[in-house]
Amino acid sequence: MKRLRIPIWPAVLLLAACTTSTTTTTSTASATTPAVTSPPASSPSQPSGGTIVEKMVATDLDHPATFVIDDTGAIFYGERLTGEIRRIDPKTGKNTSVFTIPDVIGNVTNEQGLVGLTVPPSFPQQPYLYAYATRKVGGTAVDQILKIRMNGDTGTGMQLVLTVQKAGIRHNGGRLLFGPDGMLYVVVGETEQSQLAQDKSVNSGKVLRVTPSGGVPKDNPFKGSLIYSYGHRNSFGLAFDPKTHDLWETENGPECNDELNRIIPGRNYGWGPSENCQGEAPQDTNGDGSRPVLPQLFYPQTIGPTGIDFCDGCHLGTQREGDLFFGAFNTGDIHEVSLNTAHTEAVQDSTPFNHGNLVLSIETGPDGSLYFSDGVGIFKLELKPS
């Protein structure tokens, strides 16, 4: 199996030259899982396969580290360094300012800033945007979940949902999304302090499950705690499988052992103070704490896994239905992972498309299409029939 590592956010600026090329590459990743066929096709109206290409949706953007697409196709994206949230109209392409989160901090040499954005399932009936951002509050850098009230296409005010942790320079986390249960899920980095990932008295190095108002759900795996899983290092990707409602996560290792994980409530994923890259992989970075869960896939040459989502009517061919897609910061690849019939195990990894530049977030549009961002643009994956 392979594992990957994602470099720090500064490279978002250093590698910011976007590409609009539709040149593609197809290769098979060197993950050590058995090769099997993808789940049966579920949409016979589309071709079985073809070549994945990209279509530019917007460019000349300012560090669009996070974005979300509502049911109308409107794209809300966040500028990591400025804290500004902007909206791209799906019909006209017009790009307008929505709201600027005050006191956001971050620069091109760290991983702080506006790094997470999502909307509730009934948006805009629930007229809020949710954001994860690093802010200077009372002279201290903190990572916070915030709720921006919307009036039409404009934000009118901001409310604190949760102060997550004292912010680190790196490993802040920030990917957040609503689950099928209506709860808010967020991945939190361990701020480069590996021991915090095993400490269940803090949020660092965890996946959290939070009520929309910032409270603790009564059915969380640890009573009175926001923690959903622990033992995590540095993650930028969470996605729910539309078939099983299981939560999957991408995670960056140190100089070895980047991961793809299926998140089991209450379980430990093994990152902690005894980590190293000199032992037997992946146990050498996944061996701390009680009964650590090993990754579904890991990568000996670090690739920097980032955003993740599933193909559920994604218009990329029936053979890809049900597959999991994630981006790679280091290589610019879009990875495609097929799962077993029960969708409990990853069985094959391939790279059907290379963007030629870093890949950040991956999101699904209202028609199922997959979109991704890089340091300066947002793109849509499309199929060129064979």
Side-chain angles (χ1 to χ4, degrees):
M1 291 185 176
K2 301 195 316 178
R3 223 159 106 87
L4 47 107
R5 174 186 181 186
I6 180 167
I8 62 175
W9 286 111
V12 172
L13 181 63
L14 298 176
L15 303 178
C18 78
T19 175
T20 58
S21 168
T22 57
T23 301
T24 64
T25 60
T26 302
S27 61
T28 301
S30 57
T32 60
T33 50
V36 301
T37 58
S38 299
S42 61
S43 179
S45 61
Q46 60 175 315
S48 63
T51 301
I52 293 179
V53 297
E54 67 180 29
K55 176 183 178 181
M56 187 183 70
V57 175
T59 190
D60 296 326
L61 309 184
D62 186 357
H63 291 77
T66 179
F67 71 98
V68 64
I69 307 173
D70 73 11
D71 286 343
T72 72
I75 298 173
F76 294 87
Y77 72 92
E79 296 181 351
R80 182 174 74 88
L81 303 184
T82 69
E84 184 176 8
I85 300 168
R86 300 186 65 87
R87 179 184 184 273
I88 300 172
D89 187 284
K91 295 179 180 178
T92 65
K94 186 177 180 181
N95 188 325
T96 57
S97 181
V98 172
F99 188 83
T100 298
I101 298 172
D103 305 314
V104 166
I105 58 173
N107 59 56
V108 296
T109 64
N110 65 30
E111 295 171 5
Q112 298 176 338
L114 174 52
V115 292
L117 200 62
T118 195
V119 294
S122 59
F123 182 84
Q125 286 73 31
Q126 286 179 275
Y128 296 101
L129 291 173
Y130 283 74
Y132 186 109
T134 310
R135 302 177 66 226
K136 183 66 70 72
V137 178
T140 300
V142 290
D143 292 322
Q144 294 183 328
I145 298 174
L146 306 156
K147 184 165 67 172
I148 294 97
R149 184 173 184 86
M150 297 293 292
N151 181 5
D153 299 334
T154 303
T156 60
M158 183 182 78
Q159 178 182 342
L160 175 65
V161 175
L162 180 70
T163 295
V164 177
Q165 65 178 352
K166 183 178 179 179
I169 298 299
R170 300 183 183 89
H171 301 190
N172 299 81
R175 166 62 167 153
L176 73 168
L177 74 166
F178 280 89
D181 56 3
M183 295 295 112
L184 184 64
Y185 292 76
V186 57
V187 65
V188 184
E190 37 74 293
T191 67
E192 296 186 294
Q193 301 179 77
S194 58
Q195 75 279 3
L196 296 182
Q198 292 295 321
D199 183 351
K200 292 196 287 291
S201 71
V202 299
N203 294 329
S204 308
K206 313 297 191 301
V207 173
L208 305 182
R209 181 173 181 258
V210 185
T211 68
S213 60
V216 179
K218 293 181 179 179
D219 56 348
N220 266 9
F222 301 103
K223 186 176 181 179
S225 172
L226 297 173
I227 295 171
Y228 191 69
S229 63
Y230 67 103
H232 300 290
R233 182 179 183 268
N234 183 31
S235 175
F236 302 100
L238 285 177
F240 281 95
D241 185 338
K243 176 180 178 180
T244 64
H245 294 173
D246 286 345
L247 183 63
W248 290 72
E249 177 238 22
T250 59
E251 186 167 330
N252 287 254
E255 66 274 15
C256 66
N257 294 3
D258 290 346
E259 302 174 10
L260 173 68
N261 293 302
R262 183 171 71 92
I263 301 299
I264 304 169
R267 294 299 299 274
N268 165 39
Y269 285 78
W271 179 255
S274 68
E275 54 82 13
N276 66 82
C277 286
Q278 284 74 51
E280 180 180 354
Q283 291 87 344
D284 51 2
T285 56
N286 294 77
D288 278 277
S290 173
R291 298 187 305 126
V293 178
L294 294 180
Q296 292 279 328
L297 297 177
F298 70 98
Y299 298 78
Q301 301 299 319
T302 60
I303 59 173
T306 51
I308 177 176
D309 219 328
F310 282 81
C311 175
D312 183 25
C314 68
H315 310 289
L316 296 178
T318 56
Q319 292 181 349
R320 295 186 167 103
E321 284 295 318
D323 287 359
L324 179 159
F325 286 76
F326 72 86
F329 189 97
N330 294 4
T331 65
D333 285 326
I334 300 287
H335 285 249
E336 178 184 358
V337 179
S338 60
L339 308 179
N340 65 354
T341 302
H343 275 217
T344 56
E345 296 180 0
V347 295
Q348 182 173 317
D349 180 311
S350 63
T351 52
F353 179 74
N354 181 272
H355 175 53
N357 195 358
L358 57 93
V359 176
L360 299 177
S361 292
I362 294 183
E363 297 289 344
T364 301
D367 68 345
S369 296
L370 294 173
Y371 295 73
F372 69 93
S373 65
D374 65 8
V376 294
I378 295 174
F379 306 82
K380 179 182 178 182
L381 293 179
E382 295 187 340
L383 187 69
K384 181 180 178 181
S386 300

